[in-house]
Amino acid sequence: MDEPPFLELAGVARSFHGTKVIEDLTLSVRRREALAILGASGSGKSVLLKLLMGLIKPDAGSIRLEGLDLAALPEEALYPVRARMSMLFQGGALFDSLTVGENVAYPLRIRGNLGEADIAARVRDRLALVGLVGTESLLPAELSGGMRKRVALARAIAGEPELILYDEPTTGLDPLGARRIDHLIRSLQRRLAITSVIVTHDLASACLVSDRIAMLVDRKIRVVLPTASFLTSDLPAIRELREATRLTTDAAGMPAEQEARR
């Protein structure tokens, strides 16, 4: 018997000022899987993340986390639910006036269930996981863009969430930095048994981090496929996307971006 979905959206709709952004969206996410949601800019990906966090309510449909309908909960009842989630924001969203260590410790201090010695140990551990040992005293301004993203990732996993939501995690990074973040996301998802939902317009990134890929087109999820099947699908929309991004597969079946030929 199949395990019930960890996260499930059914018939979700959301409009702003009469304009439909999400319409009749249905999707399920399995526990401990990494699901990438591909969509163009303005396709509603960020709105979808806000719906998942309970920051906005859907106009219709249900959003269930282990059977609990988040859309039906009052604001105060969402607090313990949000404690099970974390989010990596597109720009990292670090506090410029706080050190690296203070940024990673911030969600732990907000919760207030750990002493300072335990917080310091957790911060060191999380920074080690993202390859930033010994950076606690640095300020965000002293870091490269890729390092700031890794600090934000350390903060996202500091509270031991069950679900992490990623908003365009490789935006603004050079290709090498982007791939490093991709590999970190994949490694942490497996090592910490976290469920990951990654929204992105970067097909190469989606292929590297995910078990399955969903396409958000015209306000709905139009297709969901295992990543390997997505890379070889003959569906016109997927084939067009692969061609547009010059994506192929190498001998091992992993995605590789073709170099532009002039």
Side-chain angles (χ1 to χ4, degrees):
M1 184 175 179
D2 290 339
E3 183 180 359
F6 178 64
L7 180 65
E8 187 172 27
L9 295 84
V12 173
R14 177 68 196 204
S15 298
F16 293 95
H17 309 295
T19 300
K20 294 178 180 179
V21 179
I22 298 292
E23 181 182 15
D24 194 24
L25 187 149
T26 296
L27 180 67
S28 65
V29 183
R30 302 161 186 155
R31 180 179 282 279
R32 293 180 294 278
E33 83 163 328
L35 175 76
I37 302 176
L38 272 173
S41 297
S43 63
K45 301 190 302 297
S46 293
V47 170
L48 180 55
L49 285 178
K50 290 177 182 177
L51 287 164
L52 293 177
M53 287 290 290
L55 299 177
I56 57 176
K57 298 275 190 184
D59 298 326
S62 63
I63 302 170
R64 297 184 182 276
L65 181 69
E66 289 194 311
L68 182 65
D69 189 357
L70 309 188
L73 295 179
E75 180 64 25
E76 60 273 14
L78 282 168
Y79 296 152
V81 177
R82 290 189 187 126
R84 302 172 63 187
M85 307 179 186
S86 190
M87 185 164 176
L88 182 70
F89 296 93
Q90 187 173 134
L94 298 179
F95 297 106
D96 292 337
S97 61
L98 301 182
T99 66
V100 165
E102 290 167 340
N103 266 285
V104 178
Y106 185 81
L108 302 176
R109 291 199 171 107
I110 290 294
R111 291 189 185 184
N113 61 340
L114 291 178
E116 284 301 314
D118 290 330
I119 288 175
R122 181 78 62 83
V123 168
R124 287 194 299 271
D125 176 72
R126 285 342 192 208
L127 286 172
L129 285 175
V130 300
L132 291 175
V133 172
T135 60
E136 287 92 334
S137 63
L138 298 177
L139 289 169
E142 300 177 84
L143 307 176
S144 67
M147 290 174 73
R148 287 195 295 271
K149 194 80 77 166
R150 283 188 280 152
V151 172
L153 185 50
R155 184 178 62 185
I157 62 174
E160 300 182 334
E162 298 173 60
L163 170 66
I164 298 187
L165 307 174
Y166 294 89
D167 186 7
E168 299 281 6
T170 58
T171 292
L173 300 179
D174 61 72
L176 184 60
R179 296 295 81 87
R180 184 168 189 173
I181 292 298
D182 288 332
H183 289 298
L184 264 177
I185 290 171
R186 192 60 166 158
S187 172
L188 292 172
Q189 184 260 333
R190 289 172 168 167
R191 183 169 181 173
L192 303 177
I194 296 172
T195 304
S196 303
V197 175
I198 308 103
V199 300
T200 182
H201 66 273
D202 184 344
L203 178 56
S205 177
C207 291
L208 283 168
V209 301
S210 67
D211 299 303
R212 293 189 299 150
I213 297 177
M215 280 190 72
L216 178 58
V217 181
D218 295 331
R219 302 180 298 277
K220 299 179 182 180
I221 296 295
R222 299 291 180 176
V223 62
V224 184
L225 288 172
T227 300
S229 299
F230 195 95
L231 284 169
T232 57
S233 173
D234 285 330
L235 288 173
I238 298 177
R239 189 170 63 246
E240 181 180 355
L241 179 62
R242 287 201 306 266
E243 291 170 354
T245 54
R246 300 186 179 95
L247 194 81
T248 61
T249 55
D250 64 17
M254 293 298 293
E257 290 175 277
Q258 296 177 341
E259 293 183 358
R261 303 181 186 277
R262 299 186 182 276

